[in-house]
Amino acid sequence: MTDDAARHREKMEKRKAVQDAEVAGKTLEKGLLIVHTGPGKGKTTAALGLMLRALGRGWRVGMVQFIKGGWETGERKAVAAFGPQVTWHTLGEGFTWETQDKARDIAACRHAWEVALGLMADEGVRLLVLDELNIALRYEYLDLAEVVATLRARRPDLHVVVTGRNAKPALIEAADLVTEMGSVKHHFAAGVKAQEGIEF
Amino acid sequence: MTDDAARHREKMEKRKAVQDAEVAGKTLEKGLLIVHTGPGKGKTTAALGLMLRALGRGWRVGMVQFIKGGWETGERKAVAAFGPQVTWHTLGEGFTWETQDKARDIAACRHAWEVALGLMADEGVRLLVLDELNIALRYEYLDLAEVVATLRARRPDLHVVVTGRNAKPALIEAADLVTEMGSVKHHFAAGVKAQEGIEF
């Protein structure tokens, strides 16, 4: 073995000891409240990735989309491969500037929340994605205190993922894991359009 | 209609005009070079979400994992549902502190890069994920200039997603879309372990 290789091995042995101790110190298992927020891309997409991983473990998963309207998406077509493992509700009516009707937007969000409550009560569901719930909270279409209290009181084995920009501080406070997606560079700025298979 | 509803509609009509003009200004279609970096969670997971969306569109997709070893993951089990649409190579041997052998790590990364080149040349593949390639570049296990030049010269219809912390500036410069995942709050800090169905 060369000196360099020996030094590398020694350094990595020490690092492994540190890593092993860290892993050994983490023993809790619990259903997580996960928030994906921030202006960058990947909030809903990372929730879809979690869904894929959970499906591979044989879990039943739920999706409630609070804002997005019923246009066809690749993700919805893809999850059809998993049959009854997936319950998917697209209950938004599109962006606020599409509907132009605040009362209708509020009614759609409240209906979506009722559906989410039903999935939270369904003990077969292990992962629930509440897509763009942060938008509904930001516009005060739902009561923040009620939503946060309900999420805090979820079943101990239920993982919930909330997506959308501008997550409320009370939600972040209640969450176990919060990732902020930051936009470093965006192809829309270079005139590239939203493309099938990438954006939807 | 109430005054409030009328004001809302008027505001949203203006916003829709702005949005429509923005969308109309984006006309390019191209295969994107996408980078998911930063210390937060969701880098690989968002790549998996893109893969799910692409699979729903009937695309063939490829995955090359540069660092992760061959342990069983939910995502790998899940994509089996899509049969020959997915080509998945887990070619890492685990973290550097697990192998403790730099020469072996370098050989594994170089082999993974050769496999990636093969998938880039396969015209049936529309989306290719190079998972943790940033780690291989950071440790200089691969030549940065060669990797960036190859990615820049990709087929015009091929989308490539590169994941991993500490993306190199030359890669960011070449990319169309870069998202930085920031860690706002992490459950590991509260003693929660990595759990099946969520972390793997």
Side-chain angles (χ1 to χ4, degrees):
Chain A
M1 196 184 296
T2 65
D3 281 2
D4 179 58
R7 269 196 304 274
H8 178 83
R9 174 164 297 185
E10 194 183 337
K11 194 170 145 194
M12 290 302 134
E13 278 171 358
K14 283 184 188 154
R15 179 141 177 215
K16 181 166 164 52
V18 172
Q19 292 282 344
D20 287 351
E22 271 198 21
V23 170
K26 298 178 200 353
T27 52
L28 290 175
E29 293 190 27
K30 63 172 291 200
L32 302 173
L33 177 57
I34 299 171
V35 176
H36 295 164
T37 191
K41 286 183 85 87
K43 298 181 289 293
T44 297
T45 317
L48 294 172
L50 280 168
M51 194 175 259
L52 184 74
R53 185 171 282 150
L55 287 167
R57 295 299 180 183
W59 294 5
R60 274 185 56 215
V61 303
M63 164 67 92
V64 179
Q65 297 191 295
F66 281 76
I67 303 293
K68 279 161 195 158
W71 59 78
E72 185 206 66
T73 60
E75 50 270 40
R76 181 133 195 199
K77 288 162 77 97
V79 297
F82 298 92
Q85 265 187 277
V86 183
T87 307
W88 189 295
H89 296 277
T90 304
L91 297 170
E93 305 226 15
F95 299 108
T96 49
W97 57 87
E98 294 292 345
T99 63
Q100 302 179 10
D101 183 337
K102 195 169 169 182
R104 199 169 120 187
D105 290 344
I106 292 172
C109 283
R110 294 206 172 146
H111 175 55
W113 178 244
E114 293 299 319
V115 170
L117 290 175
L119 286 165
M120 280 188 251
D122 179 346
E123 295 191 356
V125 173
R126 292 284 305 276
L127 175 74
L128 176 61
V129 179
L130 303 178
D131 190 42
E132 308 283 14
L133 173 58
N134 287 335
I135 309 299
L137 292 171
R138 184 186 184 194
Y139 289 118
E140 300 179 1
Y141 291 173
L142 295 171
D143 183 70
L144 176 65
E146 182 200 330
V147 167
V148 170
T150 304
L151 292 175
R152 279 189 187 273
R154 72 192 180 281
R155 281 180 281 129
D157 66 338
L158 177 67
H159 301 277
V160 177
V161 188
V162 175
T163 78
R165 292 179 183 221
N166 302 105
K168 292 281 186 184
L171 180 67
I172 290 175
E173 174 62 32
D176 300 290
L177 169 61
V178 180
T179 301
E180 165 102 5
M181 276 68 175
S183 181
V184 177
K185 196 170 187 181
H186 200 303
H187 54 287
F188 288 175
V192 180
K193 64 194 276 193
Q195 297 173 95
E196 185 180 296
I198 296 295
E199 269 88 8
F200 57 93
Chain B
M1 197 186 296
T2 64
D3 280 3
D4 179 59
R7 269 196 304 274
H8 178 83
R9 173 164 297 181
E10 195 185 336
K11 195 171 145 193
M12 290 304 135
E13 278 172 355
K14 282 182 189 154
R15 180 141 176 215
K16 181 166 164 54
V18 172
Q19 293 283 345
D20 286 351
E22 272 198 19
V23 169
K26 298 178 198 1
T27 52
L28 289 175
E29 293 190 27
K30 63 172 292 201
L32 301 174
L33 177 56
I34 300 171
V35 176
H36 295 165
T37 191
K41 286 183 84 88
K43 299 181 287 293
T44 297
T45 317
L48 293 172
L50 279 169
M51 194 176 258
L52 184 73
R53 186 171 281 150
L55 287 166
R57 294 300 180 183
W59 294 5
R60 274 186 56 216
V61 304
M63 164 68 92
V64 179
Q65 296 190 297
F66 281 76
I67 303 293
K68 279 161 197 157
W71 61 77
E72 184 206 67
T73 59
E75 50 269 38
R76 180 134 194 198
K77 290 161 77 94
V79 297
F82 298 93
Q85 263 187 278
V86 183
T87 306
W88 190 295
H89 296 276
T90 305
L91 297 171
E93 305 226 15
F95 299 108
T96 50
W97 58 87
E98 294 292 344
T99 64
Q100 301 179 11
D101 184 337
K102 195 168 166 182
R104 199 169 118 187
D105 290 346
I106 292 172
C109 282
R110 294 210 171 144
H111 175 56
W113 178 243
E114 293 298 321
V115 171
L117 290 176
L119 286 166
M120 278 188 254
D122 179 345
E123 295 192 356
V125 173
R126 292 285 306 276
L127 175 75
L128 175 61
V129 179
L130 303 178
D131 190 41
E132 308 283 15
L133 174 59
N134 287 335
I135 310 299
L137 292 172
R138 185 185 183 192
Y139 289 120
E140 299 179 2
Y141 291 174
L142 295 171
D143 183 69
L144 177 64
E146 182 200 331
V147 167
V148 170
T150 304
L151 292 175
R152 279 189 187 272
R154 72 191 180 280
R155 281 179 282 129
D157 65 339
L158 175 67
H159 301 277
V160 177
V161 188
V162 176
T163 78
R165 290 179 184 222
N166 302 107
K168 293 282 187 185
L171 180 66
I172 290 176
E173 174 61 32
D176 299 290
L177 169 61
V178 181
T179 301
E180 165 102 5
M181 274 68 173
S183 182
V184 176
K185 196 170 186 180
H186 201 303
H187 53 287
F188 289 175
V192 180
K193 65 193 277 195
Q195 298 173 96
E196 185 180 297
I198 296 294
E199 269 87 8
F200 56 93

